[in-house]
Each structure stands twice: as structure tokens, then as C-alpha cells.
Amino acid sequence: SSSSPLGVILASAQAHFSISRAAMLLGMGEQSVVQVPCDARGAMQVSKLRSMLSHYHSNTGAEHAEGCSKRVLAVCATAGTTVLGAIDPLEDIAAACAEYGVWFHVDACFGGSLIMSDVLRTRLNGIQRAHSIAWNAHKLLGVPLQCTVLIVRTKGSLRGAISSRSAEYLYHDEPDERELDTGDLSLQCGRRADALKLWLAWLRFGKAGFGSRVEHAVSLAQHCAREIKARGIPFLLLAEPETTNVCFWVLPVAVLSPHVLQQEQSGPNTACCLLTNALRMSSSGGGSGKANTDSNTSAVVDRLRHGETNGNGCVRICSRDEGSTCVVCSATELRTRALYRAMQKDGLMLINYSSLPEFNAPSFFRLAFNASHTTHAHVQTILNLFVQLASMLDPIEIATPNTNTACTNGGEHSTILTP
């Protein structure tokens, strides 16, 4: 069955994997979590959400081929996606949920801490309308793991949903005792006093201190993005950071080889935004120094905003068919993984790489800023180390389409790309 008799949960295509895991634990199965397509910056498309809500609402109670009806149990929005750090349009999602009478949950585990900043808190407008909110204080506030908070709008919701009414030996019915005993409000019975860590940190730093920490992290992300754009080759920014995450590629310089670019430009893949950027940087002399920042980075962002989409409405970076990429993207994928392994071996830093398969793009590095002591100088050091490590990598060999009609080796030949 592709859905549960209990219904479905609508969540962003960029939602955290824990949403599907929760559905499995509930016995609904991960297929009961239906993905809502995202826009270029990774935020839920409200028009798609409304269309899906309308579809399920009109079919509630109707028998489907699977033998069960589908009703929407909840909509799960995200305030700070794991990869791009995007914040869903919470106000618009709240309005849609209210219109259809659906539970509105916000996964604010990452981005919820923006509420501490008087400057950044407006990015969370609409979160106050949520029925429930999940928040990790250990994500951006420096509170030691684990420190997770679940907030519900209506008092008594948790006790009514998960109360262990038969455990009289632990939880007593006297009103005064029930008010003080919060052990019946969580799935665990015995657990650590995680709230104590947040309380002590709040006493030490206060809301202003928390807010300053979050603002510093967001500011560093913006500075890093500007530096990446200013440097040009081999760096290429995926998108402007919305919160603390900076996503970028470290291109193999050899993608600017006239042979490779000419070969790809004459093929069916000229719409690939990585190839487009490589062509722009090559023609502007970006390989030998700093390049024009606007012309060298706008193509990726523009393609993400206005590019062609796949069947699910997701934007696509590379114009190749799903599951395949052009030589520039293929080389960049190999280079990303090789750089990651080089970082593991070198030991000076370890920055993870991520992928967005629905964007049909090569893996990229995701640098998330958090620590309050990180400075602009650290950003410079990190980017310099990327360049240093890339220069030490071995050449990579990939199969590329052969444009020579006299070739008889199956239409492909090997292209060796140096760092």
C-alpha cells in the first residue's frame, strides 16, 4: 500500500528524515509521508500544498485502489532545512492548514533559535499559529546535546495524547500533583533533566546573548558567501544563504579546458548551469584570478529560480535526463567526494558534502556556521585549505560523449581532468 489507513502527512521535500522515521514508528509507514515540492531556495511551495490539500480533502472517505481512504493528518513545515537552511512560508502554510482544518506542525529544530534575535525573528512569522513546534536548543545556542523542546499551542494536548492513565503507581490523579509531575508528558519514562541545561545557559547569556550568537552565525554565512563569489574559480556558490548554511562547489579547474567546454557546448547539455558558469568564467578570465562576481554566480541562482522542472515540480540544474549529468557535473561530483576524503586524511578540517537529487546536480559542500568564536579569518583559512587540498589531488578520469563520428568505441571516450 502506498498510504496508511490512518492517513497521510504532508511534508516539504526538504523535510528532515526524522519525519518519515516517526511515521514508521507510528506504524503508518514512511510512504504515508507525502512530499510537497520546494522552490529554488528549498522552501515549500504553498501553491503545491494547497493543491494537495484540496485533492485529499475532496477524496476523504472515498475508497481508492489501495483499499483505504486518504486524509491529511498534519502538515509539517520546516523552519531551517538541514541542507539549504531554508524557511518555509509559515504564515501562508498556517492559513492553508486553518482553511482545511489540518494540524500545523513546524520543525524548527534548526531555525527556531532565530526567535532569540530581534533582528531575525521576523523570518519566523506565522510560527505562532502552529499547533506544535519542535526546537533543538543544542543546534544554534551552544547548549550541550541533547536539548530538545516540543511546544504545543493548546494546554493539555500532550497529556491527552500520550498519558499513561493506567500507571497509578507513578502518576497520581490529584490535580496539584499532576501539575508538577511532567513525566507523563513525554514518551520516555526515565530521562535526563535536559531542561536544566537550557535554563542554566539562559541564566548565563540571556535572550540578548542568544540573539547575538545567532546573528553572528548568520552574518558569518553571508560573509562566506560574499567571499566565495569574490574568489571565483574554483568556487561556485549554489544559492544565497538564508540562515547559517553556505552551499557551494569546488569545481575542477579542468572543466574550463577549451576541449571539454567546446565538446559539451556542442552537445545537448548547454543549459546546464554549472556548464554555463564555467563558460562565463572561462571567457572572463576567471581561471587566472578573481572574476566578475555577479556574472559568475547569477546563472546558478537564476536557473534555480526559473529553470525547467522535473515531473515533481522540482527545479533542475543539469539539463540531462534524471539520473545522469553532463561532463562538468560528473567531474564536479568526483572532485567533491575526492576532496572530502582528502579532508578526512589531512585532519585539519572536515566539512560534509550534501546532495539534492531532485535538483539533478552534483554533490556540494555544506558549511554550517555556529560557534560564536569563529571569525572572518577562519573563513579565509577554510577556503584556502580547499584550494590547497584540491591542488594536491590526482587527476580524475570520466567517460564523455564522443562528438567524433569516426569513433567506433561505442560513442564514448575517456577524458582525464586534472585538479
Side-chain angles (χ1 to χ4, degrees):
S1 173
S2 62
S3 63
S4 164
L6 297 176
V8 298
I9 299 170
L10 302 184
S12 157
Q14 299 295 319
H16 196 266
F17 75 90
S18 59
I19 305 301
S20 296
R21 177 176 288 178
M24 289 191 291
L25 292 174
L26 287 170
M28 299 172 62
E30 61 180 356
Q31 290 182 324
S32 64
V33 179
V34 181
Q35 293 187 348
V36 182
C38 294
D39 61 19
R41 61 189 181 87
M44 183 187 292
Q45 297 184 46
V46 179
S47 60
K48 300 288 186 181
L49 171 65
R50 283 189 165 276
S51 177
M52 296 170 78
L53 284 171
S54 176
H55 168 74
Y56 286 116
H57 181 74
S58 62
N59 288 295
T60 298
E63 292 298 318
H64 294 260
E66 295 90 352
C68 63
S69 61
K70 299 179 181 179
R71 63 189 182 95
V72 179
L73 297 181
V75 170
C76 179
T78 308
T81 58
T82 303
V83 178
L84 295 175
I87 299 175
D88 290 340
L90 303 179
E91 193 70 65
D92 294 338
I93 296 174
C97 290
E99 180 178 336
Y100 286 93
V102 174
W103 186 277
F104 176 36
H105 174 74
V106 178
D107 172 7
C109 289
F110 169 43
S113 295
L114 269 62
I115 202 73
M116 297 294 180
S117 165
D118 293 335
V119 177
L120 302 171
R121 62 184 297 139
T122 56
R123 300 187 186 184
L124 298 176
N125 284 349
I127 197 171
Q128 71 280 1
R129 300 179 62 182
H131 295 96
S132 56
I133 302 169
W135 172 48
N136 289 156
H138 60 255
K139 284 278 172 52
L140 283 179
L141 300 186
V143 178
L145 281 166
Q146 167 82 17
C147 191
T148 298
V149 179
L150 176 62
I151 305 170
V152 292
R153 187 170 66 184
T154 304
K155 186 176 181 179
S157 295
L158 287 178
R159 199 180 298 278
I162 59 176
S163 176
S164 303
R165 294 178 177 85
S166 61
E168 173 61 24
Y169 53 89
L170 282 178
Y171 310 117
H172 306 303
D173 288 333
E174 286 76 2
D176 291 344
E177 294 187 29
R178 288 181 64 85
E179 186 70 23
L180 295 175
D181 190 351
T182 60
D184 205 19
L185 300 181
S186 66
L187 292 176
Q188 309 106 300
C189 181
R191 58 192 174 103
R192 296 178 178 178
D194 293 328
L196 179 62
K197 294 179 286 190
L198 176 58
W199 181 65
L200 290 174
W202 208 314
L203 287 178
R204 169 63 179 84
F205 299 105
K207 177 177 174 292
F210 283 155
S212 177
R213 180 188 178 96
V214 173
E215 290 168 15
H216 176 69
V218 173
S219 176
L220 276 175
Q222 294 169 346
H223 168 75
C224 183
R226 289 192 298 269
E227 182 64 23
I228 286 173
K229 291 188 291 184
R231 289 191 177 214
I233 295 174
F235 297 102
L236 182 61
L237 188 68
L238 170 61
E240 294 290 340
E242 185 171 359
T243 47
T244 64
N245 291 4
V246 182
C247 298
F248 60 95
W249 289 282
V250 182
L251 298 175
V253 176
V255 298
L256 299 180
S257 162
H259 168 72
V260 175
L261 292 178
Q262 183 180 8
Q263 185 181 57
E264 285 298 298
Q265 191 177 22
S266 62
N269 310 305
T270 54
C272 171
C273 68
L274 286 189
L275 176 58
T276 302
N277 276 274
L279 288 167
R280 288 185 177 185
M281 286 188 276
S282 179
S283 62
S284 66
S288 58
K290 292 184 178 179
N292 181 285
T293 58
D294 291 334
S295 65
N296 289 341
T297 59
S298 61
V300 178
V301 176
D302 288 345
R303 182 61 186 271
L304 284 172
R305 288 175 178 168
H306 309 297
E308 52 186 82
T309 61
N310 61 17
N312 295 321
C314 295
V315 292
R316 300 180 62 212
I317 290 178
C318 189
S319 59
R320 278 274 183 104
D321 294 336
E322 299 267 350
S324 65
T325 54
C326 67
V327 63
V328 177
C329 290
S330 298
T332 302
E333 176 73 35
L334 293 174
R335 175 57 74 244
T336 299
R337 294 172 182 267
L339 271 172
Y340 181 74
R341 292 192 295 270
M343 281 191 286
Q344 287 180 310
K345 184 176 180 180
D346 184 77
L348 287 179
M349 66 178 185
L350 183 59
I351 298 171
N352 203 2
Y353 64 86
S354 301
S355 63
L356 292 172
E358 62 271 28
F359 282 9
N360 204 39
S363 297
F364 49 86
F365 289 102
R366 174 173 57 90
L367 180 55
F369 290 93
N370 186 350
S372 58
H373 62 269
T374 306
T375 66
H376 288 188
H378 291 122
V379 173
Q380 297 288 345
T381 299
I382 289 171
L383 297 181
N384 289 339
L385 282 172
F386 267 113
V387 175
Q388 177 182 334
L389 288 172
S391 67
M392 300 166 58
L393 293 178
D394 295 329
I396 55 179
E397 183 175 347
I398 61 175
T400 59
N402 198 325
T403 56
N404 184 355
T405 55
C407 179
T408 58
N409 64 349
E412 290 190 347
H413 73 278
S414 293
T415 297
I416 297 178
L417 301 176
T418 60

